[in-house]
Amino acid sequence: MTPQSPSRPLGPEAFKPVPVNTQAQEQIAAPSLTFSQDARSRLKQNKLALVSFWLLVFIGSAALLSLWFSPANPNTQHLAYTHLPPKWGNLNVPFFNGYRDGVDLYARSGVPRGTYFFLGTDYLGRDLLARILVGTRVSLFIALLATFFDLTIGVFYGLIAGWRGGRTDTIMQRLIEIISSVPNLIVVILMLLVFKPGLTSIILAIAMTGWVTMARLVRAETLQLKNQEFILAARTLGETSRRIAVKHLLPNLSSTIIIQTMFTIPSAIFFEAFLSYIGIGLPAPTASLGTLLADGQKVLQLYPSELVFPAIIIVVLMLAFNLLADGLRDAFDPRSSR
Amino acid sequence: MTNDSVTTSAKRPVLVQVDHLVQTFNPGKKDEVKAVQDISFSIYQGETLGLVGESGSGKTTTGRSLIRLYQPTGGDVLFAGQNIARLRTGSPAMRDFRRKVQMIFQDPYASLNPRMKVKDIIAEGIDIHHLAASAADRDNRVNALLAQVGLNQDHANRYPHEFSGGQRQRIGIARALAVEPEFIIADEPISALDVSIQAQVVNLLKDIQAKQGLTYLFIAHDLAMVKYISDRIAVMHNGRLVELASADEVYNHPLHPYTKSLLSAIPIPDPAIERQRTPLVYDPREAEDNRPRQLVAVYPEHYVWAAADEVAAYQAAAVRQHREER
């Protein structure tokens, strides 16, 4: 077959310059995307981060809904029903049918018909699912608090140190170094001298030390940004420092702030679980993922499910937050990926 | 002859007068940098003064001290008779100064906030100085500025990353023009652009100047471009002004050895002449003999940084060069 257009001899008119439309030269064809739209479309391409996000939404809403729709009272003890295996109604799913070693423990303990413990019970006969939900709620509350301190103290401290620079910066940096050189665990143990073990000392410890990394990152970024020409332009236009911080610095810091928050959260969750696990976190009746793990670990060889279920939850929480943070970093700052 | 001759010989009204400006960073410390060492010059109303010199010669620092991005270490900067170096941040006079003097920056990729729409970037000064009566007035002003720099109205809602370097630089120019300034410091506005775009931006600057009677301080290291846009040229080296004269005078009758060296480095687009061109090497130690030097008028409106005993030689050279030309 011959080419679609028959070869026409080129006349002199083919060599005349085409008129240039200067207005058309300035045309931009691409759709106008805001920065967040751009980031969202990149995040959507990251399957792992997306799955993590929805997992977190699911766990978070389950924990929150359990405030009103708890499967059972997490602190009610049934000494007759201790260490029951999980049972999902009458579905007869292996491992979730109330049998252990071929014995129907629900029947043996005299559990009334229609009463099921979806994840079994612990050594005091308390519903494990209800306790895990309470523990998750505690973890998410800690996450929220850590975020709060990161966003207030951390961002503010870093902004001031970076923007003011000079001696202010030097003093603020030395202070941060002193704070961060004291291990968190020591801070919490010292708090126990003053407070009873509980949320107060954990919150205070996070308030004192949790925001340090955020402050450092924000400071470093601010130092870099403040010599950018668009900041200089704002200054030559007569913009005040406070307005420059709100209009120019914070929007350009937002990706750093979001990403760092997502990395602070799992470490705060882990910190609380660790404290509760070693017994200086939340006190006895209150469930927390740490205390559940500690209780489960005592009976690991006999009733492994009591350790496995809270462990799965904390692993999923940590992994999901970390993967989401990775995904967000790639979405906000495509240059940093790989 | 003294420095005063530099600043008072004007027949035209002086808009900016720089007197013994000194800018030192980290003074008294180990890492002290004397970026600008006692320079004096004036800029006439409506003219373009080109400031040239190699990297690190203090051109940008001079520009930033003039606009008070840096607090001058010493000396005075008079803008329309007011001493800028002594203005307090936040004072009404300072706000007024911030409106009347604007800057165009070097890097079109760093000078626009990537998180703001073009509309808001351009309107930033309008918002700060409350120049718009209403939201509609603000939009009208932005559209007019966009048109003035040759951009379309539908660019207003886009973000800087969607634009090319030349377009971004024009957005930067629109931002500077938004507050209706009298004096614009252009800090190497074209050195980050393609050659094809450079002419576009420079011609735009010239057009605006002709229409609005603006005064420019044009900082650059490209002598050819500076000669094209400037009425007078000041040559800087090591934080000092070494020569100041009209553009033609500097170009055709350079006197200071550093200026000669700069001019000899310009390639000429003619192979026959280019093969003959020998770059002159300037040895900065020539000037570091601790003899007191200052800008001296060695020919009408032609100043050279010279020690007292060098003046006669420069004067003779100037007269000789001009006679040869005739």
Side-chain angles (χ1 to χ4, degrees):
Chain A
M1 256 186 87
T2 50
Q4 281 158 338
S5 59
S7 57
R8 218 181 320 139
L10 288 171
E13 71 278 0
F15 292 95
K16 287 212 179 94
V18 177
V20 177
N21 183 349
T22 45
Q23 203 63 11
Q25 275 185 329
E26 306 289 351
Q27 216 59 256
I28 300 175
S32 181
L33 289 177
T34 68
F35 183 78
S36 53
Q37 284 171 329
D38 212 21
R40 215 172 308 152
S41 76
R42 269 198 298 270
L43 187 66
K44 276 186 187 152
Q45 285 164 13
N46 187 337
K47 291 286 175 296
L48 222 50
L50 216 58
V51 168
S52 302
F53 174 75
W54 288 113
L55 256 178
L56 287 174
V57 168
F58 174 72
I59 294 178
S61 43
L64 205 66
L65 283 175
S66 74
L67 271 173
W68 300 283
F69 309 105
S70 181
N73 185 327
N75 293 330
T76 311
Q77 304 179 3
H78 300 278
L79 293 176
Y81 308 160
T82 57
H83 297 305
L84 286 178
K87 186 173 183 184
W88 291 2
N90 293 321
L91 289 176
N92 209 8
V93 185
F95 300 108
F96 296 98
N97 51 11
Y99 282 80
R100 185 183 289 127
D101 304 330
V103 183
D104 183 356
L105 289 172
Y106 278 66
R108 206 179 66 183
S109 308
V111 180
R113 271 184 171 280
T115 303
Y116 310 109
F117 298 103
F118 282 86
L119 296 181
T121 58
D122 69 354
Y123 70 106
L124 289 172
R126 294 173 294 194
D127 184 0
L128 195 58
L129 176 60
R131 289 180 68 72
I132 285 178
L133 285 172
V134 172
T136 313
R137 220 153 61 211
V138 169
S139 293
L140 293 179
F141 177 66
I142 295 286
L144 210 67
L145 265 173
T147 311
F148 174 76
F149 289 122
D150 249 10
L151 291 185
T152 50
I153 307 177
V155 170
F156 198 64
Y157 195 100
L159 264 181
I160 290 182
W163 181 253
R164 296 293 303 238
R167 194 174 301 162
T168 319
D169 181 36
T170 312
I171 293 170
M172 289 177 93
Q173 284 313 295
R174 293 301 88 75
L175 201 68
I176 272 197
E177 276 156 26
I178 293 169
I179 290 172
S180 61
S181 64
V182 183
N184 275 350
L185 190 56
I186 307 243
V187 174
V188 176
I189 291 172
L190 288 176
M191 295 261 200
L192 291 181
L193 296 176
V194 191
F195 304 104
K196 274 189 238 143
L199 263 186
T200 329
S201 56
I202 297 177
I203 292 171
L204 274 173
I206 291 177
M208 280 176 66
T209 59
W211 47 270
V212 165
T213 319
M214 175 68 95
R216 281 185 167 154
L217 282 177
V218 168
R219 169 191 170 264
E221 194 101 337
T222 306
L223 278 177
Q224 225 173 54
L225 280 175
K226 79 171 178 182
N227 289 321
Q228 293 264 311
E229 286 181 343
F230 66 86
I231 302 275
L232 297 181
R235 284 173 61 200
T236 61
L237 282 163
E239 198 80 286
T240 58
S241 294
R242 196 175 310 167
R243 300 259 305 153
I244 288 179
V246 174
K247 262 179 81 175
H248 296 288
L249 291 176
L250 281 180
N252 282 287
L253 286 167
S254 60
S255 48
T256 308
I257 292 173
I258 292 172
I259 293 159
Q260 178 52 30
T261 314
M262 298 308 287
F263 280 115
T264 309
I265 288 173
S267 66
I269 291 177
F270 195 77
F271 181 55
E272 182 274 328
F274 164 69
L275 290 178
S276 300
Y277 180 82
I278 64 170
I280 57 175
L282 297 190
T286 324
S288 127
L289 289 178
T291 51
L292 291 178
L293 287 172
D295 290 346
Q297 182 249 333
K298 285 175 202 149
V299 292
L300 172 63
Q301 285 184 309
L302 294 166
Y303 315 111
S305 69
E306 289 176 33
L307 177 74
V308 168
F309 291 127
I312 287 175
I313 291 296
I314 196 163
V315 165
V316 167
L317 271 182
M318 303 279 292
L319 261 182
F321 271 115
N322 274 310
L323 288 175
L324 181 60
D326 270 341
L328 281 173
R329 191 185 48 205
D330 293 349
F332 279 121
D333 190 2
R335 281 163 302 169
S336 73
S337 62
R338 262 141 273 159
Chain B
M1 268 180 253
T2 65
N3 258 316
D4 290 341
S5 61
V6 180
T7 48
T8 55
S9 63
K11 290 154 220 93
R12 289 170 288 170
V14 171
L15 184 68
V16 183
Q17 186 170 329
V18 180
D19 274 332
H20 303 283
L21 178 70
V22 177
Q23 186 74 56
T24 310
F25 297 111
N26 307 320
K29 294 198 187 130
K30 248 191 293 179
D31 51 351
E32 183 182 72
V33 177
K34 290 179 177 167
V36 175
Q37 310 184 38
D38 191 3
I39 62 170
S40 302
F41 61 93
S42 44
I43 304 172
Y44 301 124
Q45 186 100 45
E47 79 162 343
T48 301
L49 177 68
L51 191 58
V52 290
E54 62 191 42
S55 305
S57 60
K59 312 183 293 283
T60 297
T61 309
T62 305
R64 290 186 177 176
S65 301
L66 289 195
I67 204 167
R68 266 293 295 276
L69 277 174
Y70 302 140
Q71 172 71 49
T73 317
D76 296 322
V77 178
L78 297 168
F79 174 77
Q82 193 156 35
N83 194 345
I84 299 314
R86 303 273 176 278
L87 282 184
R88 279 226 318 280
T89 315
S91 61
M94 189 67 182
R95 282 180 65 86
D96 196 41
F97 170 71
R98 285 281 181 240
R99 194 182 70 68
K100 285 183 177 155
V101 181
Q102 277 303 307
M103 196 161 198
I104 297 167
F105 291 90
Q106 176 175 7
D107 183 355
Y109 291 88
S111 62
L112 307 178
N113 184 345
R115 303 295 165 82
M116 279 166 80
K117 284 182 179 174
V118 165
K119 179 167 71 176
D120 298 315
I121 291 173
I122 293 176
E124 191 172 12
I126 296 176
D127 296 340
I128 294 168
H129 296 284
H130 309 293
L131 300 178
S134 62
D137 184 21
R138 183 180 185 261
D139 284 349
N140 287 340
R141 279 168 183 261
V142 169
N143 287 340
L145 286 161
L146 280 172
Q148 195 176 359
V149 297
L151 292 169
N152 301 340
Q153 288 191 7
D154 51 319
H155 289 153
N157 285 314
R158 291 183 175 269
Y159 286 83
H161 69 89
E162 301 173 52
F163 294 86
S164 69
Q167 287 176 320
R168 283 161 178 244
Q169 197 59 292
R170 283 183 277 151
I171 295 168
I173 292 171
R175 168 177 60 191
L177 294 176
V179 291
E180 294 154 13
E182 295 172 12
F183 177 45
I184 289 184
I185 298 173
D187 183 7
E188 305 205 22
I190 50 167
S191 49
L193 302 177
D194 274 11
V195 179
S196 57
I197 305 295
Q198 286 186 354
Q200 188 190 23
V201 169
V202 166
N203 287 331
L204 175 66
L205 286 172
K206 279 189 117 173
D207 277 358
I208 294 165
Q209 183 175 38
K211 276 185 203 138
Q212 308 190 357
L214 289 170
T215 308
Y216 288 145
L217 174 66
F218 192 89
I219 301 171
H221 51 235
D222 178 354
L223 265 174
M225 199 51 98
V226 168
K227 176 171 184 294
Y228 175 66
I229 192 171
S230 307
D231 301 311
R232 292 189 304 148
I233 293 178
V235 182
M236 257 189 113
H237 184 244
N238 270 355
R240 297 189 183 93
L241 277 188
V242 296
E243 190 155 1
L244 169 63
S246 72
D248 289 332
E249 187 72 13
V250 167
Y251 214 74
N252 298 326
H253 308 294
L255 291 175
H256 195 274
Y258 179 68
T259 315
K260 287 182 179 167
S261 153
L262 266 189
L263 286 167
S264 74
I266 304 175
I268 299 151
D270 179 342
I273 307 173
E274 175 67 13
R275 246 177 256 126
Q276 307 292 316
R277 185 174 66 88
T278 45
L280 305 171
V281 179
Y282 173 65
D283 183 3
R285 278 170 299 184
E286 284 175 37
E288 301 298 336
D289 51 6
N290 286 328
R291 282 190 296 175
R293 283 185 163 82
Q294 49 191 190
L295 267 191
V296 180
V298 295
Y299 201 75
E301 295 288 314
H302 192 149
Y303 305 88
V304 174
W305 190 61
D309 58 335
E310 294 168 340
V311 174
Y314 278 129
Q315 280 173 333
V319 171
R320 191 175 61 245
Q321 283 194 20
H322 281 270
R323 199 181 306 128
E324 275 169 17
E325 197 182 51
R326 252 182 263 125

